[in-house]
Amino acid sequence: MVPARRGDLFDPACPTRRLLDRVGTKWVAMIVKVLAEAGSPELGFAELERRIPGISHKMLSQTLRSLAADGLVDRRVEPSTPPRVHYRLTDLGRSLDEPLAALRDWAERHMGDIDDFAQRAPSG
Amino acid sequence: MVPARRGDLFDPACPTRRLLDRVGTKWVAMIVKVLAEAGSPELGFAELERRIPGISHKMLSQTLRSLAADGLVDRRVEPSTPPRVHYRLTDLGRSLDEPLAALRDWAERHMGDIDDFAQRAPSG
DNA sequence: CCAGCTGGTAACCAATAGTTACCTGATCAC
DNA sequence: GTGATCAGGTAACTATTGGTTACCAGCTGG
């Protein structure tokens, strides 16, 4: 196997590329935002679901587990009945919120421009 | 606070959400990077293809057209035979490189942490 | 007159996103 | 007791993407 050259985004084998793809999705962006901006340090599954309208049960579960597997969120099972699961950002996850916030911010700020442009030239 | 206000992002109908998803993909990130960091203001299709190893013919074409439709790149057809097509970032596209660079940078910087974490807890 | 160039695209296959329905298993209403 | 109900997860599917391959236009050069 070709050794993965971490720093080289231009190497197709570079894991950083895959990471970039995992981390740029809208659900990651939204989950991280919600967790980062929640009043409390952690949120329950149901609360996350409530705060992210439109996300499906499965995608939330799946995305959270992927984030947990990458060490971006911490998963805590409360031994109640039925058990409740709580998630919180790790330091690493919090650090991801910075570039993600910049991206969300860009999207919010320039949505209008893009919309206008698409209006004018709907050629696709 | 409860941000139903500028929480446009939290409305599933909000186009900013879709934009976020379009713009966070690895190919967009790489194309914008390549165009932003090219020596010349524009690059030909073939040159882009060469500079982004691993991208397929189709994905490059498709992504470029989507970027052009959003007004992020400019598409110029050189009337030669066969015609060559050149792409350059618009101002809007260049502005996107900033948050994208931050994200790429984060990915490069923290890839190691995530890798280490996954080693230790491969439960994911 | 056929091979070859460029960029695009149609046809197809593989991998995701998203939907629906169901599981667990303790508790409460009856 | 019976069973509806909670929370979170997941299996089974379908819809939508990503990605591969092969081909096209239409002029040029051998």
Side-chain angles (χ1 to χ4, degrees), chain B:
Chain B
M1 61 171 216
V2 181
R5 175 68 29 252
R6 55 70 138 168
D8 283 327
L9 262 185
F10 287 92
D11 178 357
C14 171
T16 307
R17 251 201 199 181
R18 298 222 149 280
L19 176 59
L20 199 55
D21 219 30
R22 278 212 292 287
V23 129
T25 73
K26 74 179 166 225
W27 296 135
V28 169
M30 299 204 65
I31 290 174
V32 169
K33 176 183 166 72
V34 165
L35 284 173
E37 297 178 357
S40 48
E42 63 178 25
L43 289 178
F45 185 94
E47 207 159 330
L48 278 165
E49 200 168 20
R50 236 182 18 253
R51 293 192 190 202
I52 306 176
I55 195 170
S56 71
H57 209 63
K58 178 183 125 180
M59 280 316 290
L60 181 55
S61 175
Q62 192 171 292
T63 309
L64 281 169
R65 287 175 101 74
S66 144
L67 289 174
D70 283 341
L72 296 170
V73 305
D74 232 32
R75 188 172 177 274
R76 182 177 70 81
V77 179
E78 183 187 324
S80 59
T81 295
R84 277 149 210 233
V85 187
H86 302 261
Y87 296 89
R88 78 160 70 196
L89 287 179
T90 60
D91 289 344
L92 191 55
R94 238 182 318 280
S95 80
L96 174 59
D97 188 48
E98 293 171 29
L100 244 35
L103 194 59
R104 288 190 306 253
D105 197 56
W106 181 93
E108 280 175 8
R109 198 154 40 216
H110 294 288
M111 187 64 228
D113 302 334
I114 289 176
D115 226 35
D116 290 351
F117 183 89
Q119 278 329 322
R120 244 185 273 106
S123 48

Side-chain angles (χ1 to χ4, degrees), chain A residues 27-28 31 55 58-68:
Chain A
W27 296 134
V28 170
I31 291 174
I55 195 170
K58 178 184 125 180
M59 280 316 289
L60 182 55
S61 174
Q62 192 171 294
T63 309
L64 282 169
R65 288 176 100 74
S66 144
L67 289 175

Side-chain angles (χ1 to χ4, degrees), chain A residues 66-81:
Chain A
S66 144
L67 289 175
D70 283 339
L72 297 170
V73 305
D74 231 32
R75 187 170 178 277
R76 183 177 70 82
V77 180
E78 183 186 325
S80 58
T81 295

